[in-house]
Amino acid sequence: LCVVIFLGKSIMIACDIIEEAAKVPIAIPTMYLVPPVLFLCILPFVVLFVAIAIYIQSTGNVLSISVTIPTYNSSVDFSNVSSVIAGDGVSSVSTETKDLQFENWRVYAHIFNMLMLLWNFGLLNAICYLIFALCGVFWYWSRPGGKKTPPTGSVCIALKKCLRYHLGTLALGSFIVAVVQLMRILLVFIERKAKDTGIANKRAFEFLFKCLHCFLACLERVIKFINKSAYVVQAHNSKSFIPAAREGLELLGGNVLSVGATHIIGEIFMTIGKVQITVLSAALAFLLTQASGQASEGISKGVLIIVITAVIAFLVATLFMSVLSTCIDTILMCFCYDRVHSEVDYFPPDLAQHLDLTKDVEDVKAKINLMEKAQEMSSKSPTGNSSTDDL
């Protein structure tokens, strides 16, 4: 109770951030089409990974490659300058073919193939995340106060900006995550080999492997958190990866209580949403099987239908909640960025009331109302157009 009272303001900010983040997909409903499209883009990489793995495994363990190496033959005495100038001696260039053999190359080939799969998967995931972040930025910075109006075709604009300006940053961030994920996979194989030899059965080695698993898992989560912060900051000002990551951590570090409350409440909200959607879908499938009489044909058939429905519902719920999670991260970063860098307050009315006590909330609301009236008057004028910031 004391913690709730102490964090009362931060909890209210977190609830309002989640409420405002839920408005982004409503204003830009095409955001929900991005994850299925990128999922279809992942399938060719998975097929390519399986095909390359089969090809590697079907070849021999020793790989022989013939390499042509040029050799230089000369009888010139380079220590004697006069003979070099006179051109004494005969020089010729010939080629020599050598056979290079690589033993146990399949292990390294499988490791490289796995790294490429993880990198491609992480890159597509990062592209999806940055598209959502750009859409959230478009929505938040479209106009001060309420009545946000993102530009038409926000998803297409975000995709164009992502592929044209930010692909290198996304590739770097996803590559770092892929390397850590590969290290975790290799650690699992090393642990299994150690158990087969009986070394890992000792408590000291078992404790060591558990510590390494915990360390790599925490490292992966930290890197993903830094990457997300960098992507959202990059959506604001198009900085490169390292400066964007540093600025993102500085913004989040200045609002630790609000960030912590937002992440905790957001995770609880999304977990409840996933469970609720899955349970309701399974219950609806149960009622339909009972009404259609399929449950009387066999218990296993009815249970199979319910399980399949629950799995599909969970995947759909995860899809929708992933969009909302990205919007929450984006609106949180926009709120922190607006408090520090923006000369004009773009806070929605619900977030404006949570400003620091050094600011007069009523003045902020009055300023927002005046800006909205000025924009409405400019849009109604014959020569005026409603303007939005080109991010």
Side-chain angles (χ1 to χ4, degrees):
L1 181 61
C2 294
V3 174
V4 174
I5 295 175
F6 177 73
L7 298 177
K9 183 178 179 181
S10 300
I11 293 174
M12 293 301 297
I13 292 175
C15 293
D16 288 333
I17 286 175
I18 295 173
E19 181 182 358
E20 295 298 328
K23 298 178 183 178
V24 179
I26 297 175
I28 311 175
T30 53
M31 294 173 61
Y32 291 113
L33 299 177
V34 177
V37 173
L38 290 181
F39 176 76
L40 295 177
C41 295
I42 292 174
L43 294 180
F45 292 101
V46 175
V47 174
L48 181 62
F49 166 77
V50 174
I52 293 175
I54 294 174
Y55 176 77
I56 293 172
Q57 196 63 29
S58 62
T59 55
N61 196 28
V62 179
L63 180 63
S64 298
I65 301 176
S66 298
V67 180
T68 302
I69 303 174
T71 58
Y72 180 74
N73 301 319
S74 176
S75 60
V76 179
D77 186 9
F78 289 97
S79 61
N80 189 354
V81 180
S82 60
S83 63
V84 175
I85 296 174
D88 298 336
V90 179
S91 300
S92 63
V93 178
S94 61
T95 57
E96 181 182 359
T97 303
K98 291 185 177 181
D99 293 331
L100 302 180
Q101 292 185 351
F102 300 93
E103 297 182 358
N104 299 324
W105 70 278
R106 290 188 298 183
V107 176
Y108 304 102
H110 282 303
I111 292 175
F112 181 78
N113 190 25
M114 177 61 68
L115 177 62
M116 290 297 102
L117 176 65
L118 296 174
W119 192 6
N120 290 322
F121 180 77
L123 180 59
L124 292 175
N125 190 21
I127 292 173
C128 180
Y129 188 91
L130 185 57
I131 290 175
F132 293 156
L134 286 169
C135 291
V137 168
F138 293 157
W139 179 85
Y140 186 91
W141 300 101
S142 59
R143 60 189 304 175
K147 299 179 181 179
K148 305 289 187 181
T149 54
T152 305
S154 298
V155 174
C156 296
I157 298 173
L159 180 61
K160 179 181 177 181
K161 287 180 176 291
C162 178
L163 297 179
R164 185 175 180 180
Y165 300 109
H166 308 301
L167 196 59
T169 299
L170 300 178
L172 177 59
S174 58
F175 177 75
I176 297 173
V177 175
V179 170
V180 178
Q181 292 174 344
L182 181 64
M183 292 171 62
R184 296 185 63 183
I185 295 173
L186 293 178
L187 184 62
V188 172
F189 280 100
I190 293 173
E191 185 179 7
R192 289 183 179 180
K193 291 293 183 180
K195 286 183 179 180
D196 294 338
T197 57
I199 298 177
N201 295 328
K202 298 180 180 180
R203 291 190 174 182
F205 285 96
E206 184 178 356
F207 177 76
L208 177 61
F209 279 114
K210 288 183 178 179
C211 290
L212 291 175
H213 283 297
C214 181
F215 171 75
L216 291 177
C218 293
L219 180 62
E220 182 181 354
R221 288 180 175 85
V222 169
I223 293 175
K224 286 183 177 180
F225 178 79
I226 295 174
N227 286 350
K228 290 180 179 180
S229 303
Y231 298 156
V232 177
V233 172
Q234 191 182 36
H236 283 83
N237 48 32
S238 298
K239 288 186 176 181
S240 58
F241 179 75
I242 296 178
R246 182 175 63 250
E247 184 176 354
L249 293 178
E250 290 176 355
L251 289 174
L252 296 178
N255 301 270
V256 176
L257 297 180
S258 300
V259 172
T262 303
H263 281 285
I264 293 173
I265 296 176
E267 288 295 332
I268 294 173
F269 175 77
M270 287 183 289
T271 302
I272 293 175
K274 292 178 185 179
V275 173
Q276 184 177 6
I277 293 173
T278 304
V279 171
L280 291 178
S281 300
L284 181 61
F286 174 76
L287 295 177
L288 292 176
T289 53
Q290 292 290 334
S292 61
Q294 293 183 1
S296 59
E297 298 178 3
I299 298 177
S300 59
K301 185 177 180 179
V303 171
L304 181 61
I305 295 175
I306 295 173
V307 169
I308 293 175
T309 304
V311 171
I312 296 175
F314 179 78
L315 294 177
V316 174
T318 303
L319 171 65
F320 280 85
M321 292 303 167
S322 65
V323 176
L324 180 60
S325 176
T326 308
C327 294
I328 292 173
D329 296 339
T330 305
I331 299 303
L332 174 62
M333 187 67 73
C334 291
F335 175 73
C336 299
Y337 196 91
D338 198 5
R339 296 180 65 177
V340 176
H341 297 286
S342 181
E343 297 179 357
V344 179
D345 296 330
Y346 283 77
F347 302 107
D350 292 336
L351 290 176
Q353 62 184 350
H354 300 298
L355 296 176
D356 295 335
L357 296 178
T358 56
K359 291 186 177 181
D360 191 356
V361 178
E362 297 299 330
D363 291 343
V364 173
K365 289 184 177 180
K367 186 195 302 183
I368 291 173
N369 292 330
L370 289 175
M371 289 183 178
E372 290 182 351
K373 290 181 180 179
Q375 288 187 353
E376 289 179 359
M377 292 178 63
S378 63
S379 62
K380 291 179 181 179
S381 62
T383 59
N385 294 323
S386 58
S387 62
T388 58
D389 289 342
D390 186 12
L391 297 177

